[in-house]
Amino acid sequence: MRQIQFLATEPHYQEHLRPVYDALPVEVRGQFCTHPRELAPGMLTVVSSYANLIQTSDQPIVFFEHGSGFQYNVRHDAYAGAKDRDRVVLFCNTNELVADANRKTHPTIPSVVVGCPKLDTLVNLPKPEGKPVVAFSWHWECRIAPETRTAWPYYMDDLERLKPATWTPLGHSHPRAASMVRSDYQSWGWQYTPSFEQVCREASVYVCDTSSTIYEFAALDRPVILLNAPWYRRNVHHGLRFWDHIPGIQVDYPEQLPGAIEKALTDDQWGPKRRRITELVYPHLGAAAKVAAEAILEVL
């Protein structure tokens, strides 16, 4: 029987693909590879990033989006709709926004909407009880566009001055930003966790600059706060976070942050809009891995 192998070299790629691997029948599972040298030649291979796509050689590819589908008004191979998709035989898209971009560029390649497998188990987590935890997370300093950059330098001094009495801070970040923020968190006496699952288990509110995790946490039907930086251009629209589908409170200046946290904890008015956006961004919520596995088996 033919088998399927996976390549996921970074933790955030693995979080999206491991549930799909586990949803496949045991007899078709090849190796779940974390380094390209582990790949078998010629075998159908599942990836969730352009970075991993170009690390393959002769393998036919099933290509997943590894986020909610952020797209920027730049020509870059990392985002949906890019032209460089050699050997892709199936696109597994998070939502119709991603699928539409891929179908326009690659009309002859099958393209299905599968949702977000990473969320399948997270959406069933119970809401935390006790003293609220507020998690703070940051994107890495990606310079593809001003809106892909981190807002950390703009807020870090004010974060250090926060003296929360009614809630507990929890530090987090994109994996590529861990070295940028971890030591500061620890010097302030904050716990740092690289695990987004831990954030979802413990946090009542999620504060973040730009990341698909904003939408993933919102899918748990808990408040999110979006931190804007001066270099995020208001006159440039990329969709989703910039600026069409905002699932929570926006903060433009550091001094607004304490009030936004208090409002999110005590007077969450964003629930209806947050749920509408979740329906748009994450179809098949809770069943995405099953839907994706079925699509891959059809290709196999």
Side-chain angles (χ1 to χ4, degrees):
M1 178 176 288
R2 293 181 64 193
Q3 290 189 316
I4 308 159
Q5 63 188 348
F6 286 62
L7 176 63
T9 58
E10 297 196 46
H12 51 303
Y13 304 155
Q14 295 161 17
E15 289 173 344
H16 287 277
L17 290 187
R18 177 62 73 170
V20 182
Y21 181 85
D22 292 340
L24 288 166
V26 174
E27 60 269 20
V28 304
R29 294 182 202 163
Q31 188 167 351
F32 193 97
C33 306
T34 57
H35 193 284
R37 64 170 172 261
E38 301 167 354
L39 291 171
M43 184 184 294
L44 182 63
T45 302
V46 182
V47 302
S48 65
S49 71
Y50 176 72
N52 284 173
L53 171 65
I54 62 176
Q55 291 175 316
T56 64
S57 55
D58 66 338
Q59 296 89 349
I61 300 295
V62 174
F63 193 94
F64 273 74
E65 181 74 31
H66 72 264
S68 58
F70 284 16
Q71 299 169 47
Y72 299 92
N73 298 335
V74 293
R75 293 188 179 276
H76 195 280
D77 291 327
Y79 302 114
K83 292 183 178 180
D84 190 359
R85 294 294 184 263
D86 291 347
R87 293 175 286 107
V88 171
V89 297
L90 175 68
F91 287 109
C92 287
N93 305 287
T94 311
N95 50 55
E96 288 292 346
L97 300 173
V98 179
D100 184 59
N102 283 324
R103 288 168 183 154
K104 285 179 178 177
T105 310
H106 305 282
T108 63
I109 300 176
S111 191
V112 296
V113 173
V114 301
C116 179
K118 173 184 176 181
L119 282 173
D120 283 357
T121 56
L122 297 181
V123 293
N124 295 318
L125 292 174
K127 291 188 177 181
E129 299 179 352
K131 186 177 181 180
V133 171
V134 178
F136 296 79
S137 187
W138 308 89
H139 201 243
W140 61 290
E141 182 62 0
C142 174
R143 290 184 172 266
I144 291 173
E147 292 74 35
T148 62
R149 294 180 57 197
T150 181
W152 168 256
Y154 186 56
Y155 288 93
M156 59 180 294
D157 290 342
D158 289 80
L159 289 180
E160 183 179 8
R161 290 191 287 267
L162 285 175
K163 303 296 181 186
T166 60
W167 51 270
T168 301
L170 175 64
H172 179 62
S173 69
H174 187 286
R176 295 181 184 176
S179 60
M180 176 181 71
V181 303
R182 186 191 295 113
S183 60
D184 284 312
Y185 281 145
Q186 293 171 344
S187 71
W188 304 338
W190 292 20
Q191 180 188 0
Y192 172 80
T193 177
S195 168
F196 184 68
E197 180 178 347
Q198 181 179 345
V199 169
C200 293
R201 289 185 180 279
E202 298 182 10
S204 298
V205 175
Y206 188 61
V207 183
C208 187
D209 48 6
T210 175
S211 169
S212 292
T213 55
I214 294 168
Y215 293 86
E216 292 166 2
F217 193 88
L220 310 184
D221 200 18
R222 301 183 209 165
V224 294
I225 296 173
L226 291 77
L227 301 180
N228 296 324
W231 44 91
Y232 296 168
R233 300 164 295 177
R234 290 289 187 151
N235 62 336
V236 176
H237 282 250
H238 302 300
L240 287 180
R241 195 259 183 261
F242 303 104
W243 303 89
D244 298 340
H245 301 290
I246 306 295
I249 302 170
Q250 293 191 77
V251 169
D252 294 318
Y253 305 102
E255 57 267 26
Q256 296 174 335
L257 182 54
I261 294 171
E262 182 66 20
K263 190 171 184 62
L265 287 171
T266 61
D267 186 24
D268 176 25
Q269 300 178 359
W270 283 84
K273 185 173 184 179
R274 187 169 60 232
R275 289 186 283 273
R276 287 196 301 271
I277 291 174
T278 295
E279 289 178 3
L280 170 72
V281 178
Y282 297 123
H284 308 298
L285 193 63
K290 179 177 181 294
V291 173
E294 291 172 352
I296 293 172
L297 287 172
E298 287 190 21
V299 172
L300 185 68

